Amino acid sequence: MYEYEGIAKGISKRTIQLDIQMMRSEKLGYNAPIVVYEGKYYRYENPDYSITNTPLTEQDLRTMSEAVEVLRQFKGFSYFSEMGDIVNRLEDHVTSVRQQTIPVIDFEKNENLKGLGHLDTIYHAIVNKQPLEMKYHSFRARSASLFIFYPYLLKEYRNRWFVFGNRKETNSLQNLALDRIIRVNPLAGERYRENDLFDPATFFDNVIGVTKTLTQQAGKVRFEVDRCNAPYVETKPFHKSQQVIERKENGSVIFEIEVVINPELQRELLGFADTIRVLSPPSLVDAMAHKFRRANRRYTDPDNQD
C-alpha cells in the first residue's frame, strides 16, 4: 500500500474483509469466486479466474453497441482516422459476443460531402497555430484566389464544414466553406497571427447557422405559427432564446427569439412557408415578403426568373 498509494499506516482486518465482500458481490460486476480454505486463506475457486477477464454483461454489450454506433459517425472526419481500427475492433468484438448487427441509431450524414479531406490539415493548423496557404473559389467569384490564412475555428452546420479565421491582407474575420477550398497547405516561415477578433466559445450564442460579422448585434424576432405547426416549433426551437409570447384563441402561437438576422434564419422561416408569419422587425418582414413574392412569380410566371 505504501508503494502504490503512499499509505504508511497498516490496513485493518475489517477493511480487507469488506474489500473481499465487495469483490464477491455484483456491485462492481466481478462476482469473484473467492473461497476460504484452511479457515484462514483466501483464493479463487477457479485458479484461472481474473477480474480482468470478467465476461461482459448484457448491459455492457448494449452500452458498447451504442458507443460503436456513435463512434462510427466520426470515421468521415479525418482527424479520427486513427480511431478507425479501434472502432472496428470494438465493433467486431461486440458482434462476436452478441450476434446483432442491426443499427438502432442513425445519424444525419453526407459521406459524399466535398472538402472533408481538408479537415485534418486545418485542424492541426489551428492546434499548432500554423498559417495556411489557401486557394479558394467562392461561389460569387469568377476565379479562385490564393492567400495566406490564419485559422481559428472549425464549425459544422447542416453537414457542411466551415473554417473561421483571419486573412492576412484584410485582417478581418472570414468564414470559408471547406467545399470551396481547392488547395490548402501549412505554410512554413510565416508568423501566425493570434486570434484577437472573437471568442469562439460565445461568438455563436446568438446565431442560427454560421453567418455573422464582428459588428452584427442580435435583435428580437417575433413570428406567429399556425395551430397545426406550433407544437413542432415549440418542441424544436429555432434558437435557445426562443420563448412563447402569446397563445391565441385560434390555436396559433406567437414566439420570440433574439438572434442575428442572417440567411440561415430566413431559410429556417421559409421552411414553414405558409404556416408562419414574421411579425417583427420590419426589415425582416419586408425581406420575407419579398422572397415570397419572387417565389410566387416562379410558379405563376415560370418564364420570368428575375
Side-chain angles (χ1 to χ4, degrees):
M1 293 299 294
Y2 179 79
E3 179 182 351
Y4 287 99
E5 302 292 341
I7 300 175
K9 295 182 178 179
I11 305 300
S12 69
K13 179 180 178 180
R14 177 62 176 166
T15 299
I16 297 296
Q17 290 174 333
L18 289 174
D19 287 344
I20 292 174
Q21 183 179 342
M22 183 68 72
M23 291 180 67
R24 282 171 166 169
S25 72
E26 297 181 356
K27 291 183 179 180
L28 299 178
Y30 294 147
N31 292 305
I34 300 175
V35 295
V36 181
Y37 69 102
E38 295 183 10
K40 55 182 178 179
Y41 300 111
Y42 291 89
R43 67 181 179 187
Y44 291 136
E45 188 175 17
N46 178 2
D48 295 327
Y49 176 85
S50 171
I51 60 173
T52 61
N53 296 327
T54 303
L56 296 173
T57 66
E58 184 66 19
Q59 179 59 44
D60 293 335
L61 290 171
R62 277 198 298 269
T63 302
M64 290 176 67
S65 296
E66 293 167 3
V68 166
E69 289 296 325
V70 173
L71 289 173
R72 190 185 295 160
Q73 309 310 311
F74 292 97
K75 288 185 180 180
F77 191 174
S78 56
Y79 174 66
F80 287 88
S81 59
E82 295 179 2
M83 292 181 58
D85 291 339
I86 299 174
V87 174
N88 288 334
R89 289 199 299 271
L90 180 59
E91 186 175 11
D92 291 342
H93 178 69
V94 173
T95 303
S96 65
V97 177
R98 182 189 191 192
Q99 294 299 321
Q100 182 176 341
T101 58
I102 300 175
V104 294
I105 302 176
D106 185 27
F107 289 85
E108 181 181 1
K109 55 187 177 293
N110 184 352
E111 295 178 355
N112 297 321
L113 203 63
K114 293 179 61 178
L116 292 180
H118 301 311
L119 276 171
D120 195 51
T121 300
I122 297 174
Y123 173 85
H124 286 290
I126 296 173
V127 172
N128 298 322
K129 297 185 176 181
Q130 188 171 26
L132 295 170
E133 182 184 60
M134 188 175 295
K135 189 173 184 180
Y136 187 81
H137 192 180
S138 70
F139 286 120
R140 297 180 180 180
R142 291 185 177 181
S143 59
S145 58
L146 186 68
F147 52 85
I148 295 174
F149 189 74
Y150 311 105
Y152 301 140
L153 177 72
L154 278 165
K155 184 172 176 61
E156 186 265 349
Y157 178 68
R158 296 286 178 86
N159 281 319
R160 196 178 181 203
W161 284 91
F162 302 84
V163 56
F164 287 77
N166 194 340
R167 190 167 168 169
K168 182 178 180 179
E169 61 269 26
T170 61
N171 193 25
S172 62
L173 181 65
Q174 288 201 319
N175 169 15
L176 306 178
L178 266 63
D179 56 19
R180 304 305 301 164
I181 297 176
I182 298 175
R183 185 179 70 247
V184 58
N185 297 303
L187 192 61
E190 175 73 24
R191 185 176 180 181
Y192 184 80
R193 184 181 292 163
E194 295 285 350
N195 175 22
D196 58 0
L197 299 175
F198 75 113
D199 180 1
T202 60
F203 187 70
F204 299 98
D205 285 352
N206 57 7
V207 182
I208 293 175
V210 295
T211 306
K212 179 188 177 183
T213 66
L214 290 171
T215 58
Q216 273 184 298
Q217 299 295 320
K220 293 183 178 180
V221 176
R222 286 197 179 189
F223 51 92
E224 181 178 352
V225 185
D226 70 6
R227 176 179 58 84
C228 294
N229 290 273
Y232 293 98
V233 176
E234 188 164 5
T235 55
K236 188 184 177 183
F238 287 159
H239 186 259
K240 62 183 180 181
S241 64
Q242 181 172 298
Q243 56 181 322
V244 174
I245 300 300
E246 181 183 354
R247 298 184 188 276
K248 305 185 76 171
E249 292 184 1
N250 63 2
S252 66
V253 179
I254 296 177
F255 297 93
E256 182 179 273
I257 56 177
E258 190 167 355
V259 295
V260 167
I261 296 176
N262 62 9
E264 292 95 316
L265 168 63
Q266 295 184 26
R267 293 188 191 108
E268 288 283 348
L269 297 171
L270 286 168
F272 284 83
D274 59 328
T275 67
I276 197 169
R277 181 168 67 97
V278 178
L279 304 176
S280 65
S283 59
L284 182 58
V285 174
D286 293 342
M288 297 298 294
H290 176 68
K291 287 181 179 293
F292 279 115
R293 285 194 296 268
R294 291 189 62 187
N296 182 60
R297 285 200 300 271
R298 288 190 176 274
Y299 285 96
T300 57
D301 187 5
D303 294 330
N304 181 6
Q305 300 297 309
D306 295 334

